[in-house]
Amino acid sequence: MILYFVITMLRLRKAVSNLTQEQFIEGYRKSQLIDVREPKEFEAGHILGARNIPYSQFRQRHNEIRPDKPVYLYDQNTGKSSRAALFLKKKGYTQLFQLQGGFRTWTGKVKSK
């Protein structure tokens, strides 16, 4: 079990870069900002400019994300965005970033419906 977690952490470290909120803000406007939370969570509040591609639909909808541009991912914590990054890495995406701590730690601009 411990070996599994160690291997997963090493794979994650190679697949995605964790960014602080300040680093995330610097780059996400020039990239594809993807919220992998479910639609209800997204509608309750999301980072301004984000597109919602729920993790539950990610395998079917990942083609909506361009592989030639940086991809900034986030979810409530970092579990789903990490798995989404691993999936995209397998599909050949190279510029993958995620918000350290997830949306729950976000203090920037938020849009809600």
Side-chain angles (χ1 to χ4, degrees), residues 26-66:
E26 284 177 21
Y28 84 84
R29 288 196 177 100
K30 300 175 199 134
S31 66
Q32 303 169 90
L33 179 59
I34 310 296
D35 184 327
V36 297
R37 299 176 302 156
E38 294 304 311
K40 283 187 177 184
E41 295 172 296
F42 180 79
E43 290 171 9
H46 58 273
I47 297 174
L48 195 62
R51 281 189 298 160
N52 185 221
I53 302 178
Y55 184 71
S56 60
Q57 301 171 14
F58 213 75
R59 291 189 185 278
Q60 296 84 10
R61 295 183 56 193
H62 76 275
N63 291 335
E64 297 174 27
I65 304 169
R66 291 177 48 179

Side-chain angles (χ1 to χ4, degrees), residues 44-110:
H46 58 273
I47 297 174
L48 195 62
R51 281 189 298 160
N52 185 221
I53 302 178
Y55 184 71
S56 60
Q57 301 171 14
F58 213 75
R59 291 189 185 278
Q60 296 84 10
R61 295 183 56 193
H62 76 275
N63 291 335
E64 297 174 27
I65 304 169
R66 291 177 48 179
D68 60 327
K69 290 185 76 177
V71 180
Y72 280 58
L73 300 161
Y74 74 92
D75 67 354
Q76 197 63 28
N77 296 306
T78 56
K80 291 179 184 176
S81 59
S82 296
R83 290 192 300 271
L86 283 173
F87 176 79
L88 291 174
K89 183 75 171 178
K90 287 179 187 175
K91 295 292 182 184
Y93 293 73
T94 56
Q95 300 176 71
L96 300 169
F97 306 91
Q98 78 175 353
L99 177 60
Q100 186 176 346
F103 185 71
R104 67 179 171 80
T105 63
W106 182 258
T107 58
K109 292 183 181 179
V110 173

Side-chain angles (χ1 to χ4, degrees), residues 2-14 86:
I2 294 172
L3 183 62
Y4 170 78
F5 287 114
V6 170
I7 291 170
T8 302
M9 291 303 291
L10 291 173
R11 286 178 53 215
L12 270 175
R13 198 169 287 158
K14 288 181 181 181
L86 283 173

